[in-house]
Amino acid sequence: MASVMTSIRGLNVHYQIINPQAEKTLVFLHGFTGSTKTWDSVIQSFQDTYRIITIDLIGHGLTDAPFNVQRYSMEEQVEILHDFFKARKIPSFTLIGYSMGGRVAIAFTMKYVDMVEQLILESSSPGLPTSEERAARRKSDHLLADRIEKDGVESFTDHWENIPLFDSQKGLPAPTKQAIRKERLEQREIGLANSLRGMGTGHQPSYWEELQSFTKPVLLITGELDRKFEEKASAMNKRFQCCKNVIVENVGHAIHVENPQTFATIIEEHLEII
């Protein structure tokens, strides 16, 4: 696996690449507080067949975390990705996104539909449908962003790993929980805070009405213990024209963490069928 830093739109963007000569490409986008390390337990299943690219989104991992919040808009993150693929002469790929990375994947797909061969979303959504919901979410995201900057990453991590969304992770083996915590602790206050202020769910456009325009294959993966995102996936499944919705038993929001083998197998089987 090659770890590479490159300059895109005036930012240092970090990514990892495996099997660069392969014909088909899988691109993985992590969630909030994540990085390329998010996918370490999953990508080995694909490395002999596909070119694999994992990317640190703006403000995360080793990618720059600028102070200018405008650099963190969803529209800007989409353009960073577009210029990244264009510079590397990668015209099309399968795009896989988890949670925040899934929202980025949807936004990218809606603008650059010809580049996305198929879309795989883990525990994600196309945003909030009403302006009232977005306004309320912006308020809560800004409060959380201020808290991160005031109290620091460690205090925020203590809070974040105990929110209800991640209750199902408390029974994971100690080494797995330690790896997740380490990944979060390696983040920077400004990067996390500005990600919330710039491309949090309340700031991004709602893509619900655009989903039906995407005619290529879509795979939605959610955990049965994550009712909120299971409902979002069910609603998305009705909008996409060519969609499969898979619910994984006994796991919550982060299927790739709680059951990486099943998560990888679901994707493998999907790619073999397409």
Side-chain angles (χ1 to χ4, degrees):
M1 181 189 299
S3 180
V4 186
M5 191 73 78
T6 187
S7 179
I8 303 290
R9 298 175 70 83
L11 290 177
N12 292 311
V13 175
H14 173 254
Y15 69 100
Q16 293 186 324
I17 185 166
I18 301 174
N19 201 9
Q21 303 306 319
E23 182 180 348
K24 291 283 189 178
T25 303
L26 304 182
V27 176
F28 290 82
L29 303 180
H30 62 78
F32 182 62
T33 76
S35 67
T36 58
K37 295 178 182 177
T38 293
W39 305 108
D40 286 352
S41 60
V42 172
I43 55 179
Q44 57 194 8
S45 299
F46 308 99
Q47 61 189 15
D48 294 333
T49 309
Y50 298 89
R51 177 200 287 132
I52 297 171
I53 297 175
T54 60
I55 303 170
D56 283 340
L57 298 172
I58 188 170
H60 287 74
L62 299 177
T63 290
D64 280 351
F67 285 92
N68 182 358
V69 71
Q70 293 177 342
R71 297 302 308 270
Y72 292 78
S73 72
M74 184 62 79
E75 293 82 359
E76 177 65 11
Q77 177 61 81
V78 165
E79 294 310 312
I80 291 169
L81 291 174
H82 175 259
D83 288 3
F84 172 89
F85 297 122
K86 189 175 179 181
R88 265 134 212 88
K89 297 181 171 58
I90 302 174
S92 63
F93 43 84
T94 291
L95 188 53
I96 303 165
Y98 160 63
S99 199
M100 180 188 78
R103 292 191 289 107
V104 174
I106 291 171
F108 183 93
T109 300
M110 293 303 111
K111 182 161 186 183
Y112 295 108
V113 62
D114 291 342
M115 297 185 74
V116 180
E117 296 168 4
Q118 52 191 323
L119 185 60
I120 299 177
L121 302 172
E122 176 192 6
S123 305
S124 197
S125 84
L128 297 168
T130 70
S131 58
E132 291 80 11
E133 288 174 291
R134 291 193 292 274
R137 183 58 181 268
R138 283 196 300 273
K139 184 176 180 180
S140 64
D141 280 350
H142 279 262
L143 288 172
L144 183 56
D146 292 345
R147 175 178 177 173
I148 294 170
E149 287 193 312
K150 177 178 178 288
D151 297 338
V153 169
E154 185 172 1
S155 175
F156 163 70
T157 297
D158 292 341
H159 158 73
W160 193 245
E161 63 190 12
N162 284 294
I163 65 173
L165 191 66
F166 302 124
D167 276 348
S168 56
Q169 295 183 16
K170 292 181 177 177
L172 291 172
T176 302
K177 290 192 287 187
Q178 289 165 3
I180 297 168
R181 181 174 175 83
K182 183 174 184 290
E183 186 178 16
R184 288 171 176 157
L185 290 173
E186 289 172 347
Q187 307 296 339
R188 293 145 295 178
E189 286 86 356
I190 190 64
L192 296 181
N194 275 350
S195 291
L196 289 169
R197 295 177 181 130
M199 61 177 178
T201 308
H203 282 274
Q204 75 164 67
S206 169
Y207 296 101
W208 281 102
E209 297 303 321
E210 298 179 43
L211 299 184
Q212 60 187 2
S213 67
F214 186 66
T215 60
K216 299 174 191 176
V218 178
L219 173 64
L220 307 175
I221 309 174
T222 52
E224 71 165 342
L225 304 179
D226 185 8
R227 300 292 186 185
K228 176 181 177 181
F229 282 86
E230 187 180 320
E231 290 175 4
K232 290 179 183 292
S234 177
M236 283 192 284
N237 187 34
K238 296 172 183 175
R239 302 253 182 166
F240 282 118
Q241 293 193 39
C242 180
C243 186
K244 182 179 181 182
N245 184 14
V246 177
I247 300 170
V248 183
E249 295 180 353
N250 300 317
V251 295
H253 193 64
I255 303 98
H256 69 276
V257 169
E258 298 176 51
N259 194 337
Q261 185 174 1
T262 295
F263 180 77
T265 299
I266 290 168
I267 294 177
E268 277 185 292
E269 292 175 350
H270 176 75
L271 294 173
E272 288 172 3
I273 293 171
I274 300 304

